Amino acid sequence: MLGPDRRQPAWQRRALQSSGSSVGQFSLHPAPAGWCCANHDHALDLSLETDRQGAAVHEAGHTTAAFVTGIDVTEVVLTPEQTQHPCDPTAGVSGITGVSRIAVPVGDYLTMLAAGEVAHQRWLRDSGLSTPARAWAVELGAMDDVGKAVNRLREWVPGYEETGCRQLFWRYRPAAAELVDARWESVRAVVGGLAGLPNPPEPAAPRD
C-alpha cells in the first residue's frame, strides 16, 4: 500500500468567491480575481477539444494509478457538457473513472483519486497551458474526487471532520505525483486510447 506524506501540507485557507455565493475550502491555488461564477470552465478558457484532452489525461491518471495499485477499473467515460449560467454559457468535458472497491486498501484508493488532478496539472504544464487560474480551475474540477475521498475516510475514521479528511487525503498527493511521473508514458498511452474514441459532438445551445 502506498503511504501518505507525514509532513504537514502547506495549506492556505482561501475563500473561493463567486457572485452571490462563497465556497470555503482548502485550496493549493488562489482563486482568480474577478471570476464570474461557480463554474471552473470559465477560468479554464479552453476549446472543447483541448478540454477533452485534459479530461482524458485526468481520467488516465486515475486509470494508471489503479493499474499500478491493483484496483479494478470498470469504466472510463468522457461526457461533453454545456451549462447556462447568469453570466454566460460554458462548454466543457467531464470524466468518470469507475473502479471496484472490493478489497481496496484505503491508501491505494486515495492515491488513485489524487492521481487524476496531479496528471491534469502536469499536462497543463507540459502543454504550455498552465496559468494560476487554470491550475485553480483544475483543482476545483477535482472536487468530486475530494468528495469520494472524504466519504471513504469517514468510513475508515468515523467522526472525523471534513476538514481533517481533506487534509489527510491530500497527504497522499506526493505519492500520487511520484506514481504519475514514474508512469507518465503509461498515462499518455491511456490518453491515446481514450482519444481514439469518437469525438464528442458539440453541445447544443441551451434553450431559452
Side-chain angles (χ1 to χ4, degrees), residues 25-51:
Q25 63 191 32
F26 283 103
S27 175
L28 295 172
H29 306 94
W35 64 293
C36 52
C37 67
N39 190 284
H40 65 282
D41 288 322
H42 276 182
L44 272 176
D45 191 26
L46 298 172
S47 70
L48 186 64
E49 184 54 35
T50 302
D51 193 35

Side-chain angles (χ1 to χ4, degrees), residues 185-203:
E185 291 306 313
S186 297
V187 173
R188 293 181 60 184
V190 174
V191 172
L194 293 175
L197 298 174
N199 288 331
E202 293 285 341

Side-chain angles (χ1 to χ4, degrees), residues 61-207:
H62 288 317
T63 301
T64 300
F67 289 160
V68 171
T69 56
I71 299 174
D72 181 39
V73 175
T74 59
E75 65 175 352
V76 180
V77 180
L78 299 177
T79 305
E81 298 176 338
Q82 180 156 315
T83 306
Q84 180 67 53
H85 296 280
C87 52
D88 206 19
T90 61
V93 179
S94 65
I96 295 175
T97 298
V99 300
S100 170
R101 288 181 53 183
I102 299 176
V104 176
V106 173
D108 291 348
Y109 183 69
L110 298 178
T111 300
M112 182 276 299
L113 288 175
E117 189 212 332
V118 167
H120 205 157
Q121 298 284 10
R122 172 165 175 172
W123 170 80
L124 279 179
R125 295 192 300 270
D126 288 359
S127 301
L129 296 172
S130 186
T131 65
R134 285 174 175 158
W136 169 85
V138 166
E139 182 181 1
L140 186 64
M143 284 299 105
D144 181 62
D145 296 329
V146 175
K148 291 175 182 177
V150 168
N151 289 339
R152 186 64 183 276
L153 284 166
R154 281 176 167 167
E155 295 174 4
W156 190 36
V157 190
Y160 215 47
E161 294 183 358
E162 180 172 344
T163 296
C165 289
R166 286 174 182 245
Q167 289 179 315
L168 181 55
F169 170 45
W170 286 116
R171 288 187 178 184
Y172 286 83
R173 187 183 181 92
E178 183 177 350
L179 186 154
V180 166
D181 287 343
R183 304 281 182 150
W184 187 242
E185 291 306 313
S186 297
V187 173
R188 293 181 60 184
V190 174
V191 172
L194 293 175
L197 298 174
N199 288 331
E202 293 285 341
R207 297 179 179 179

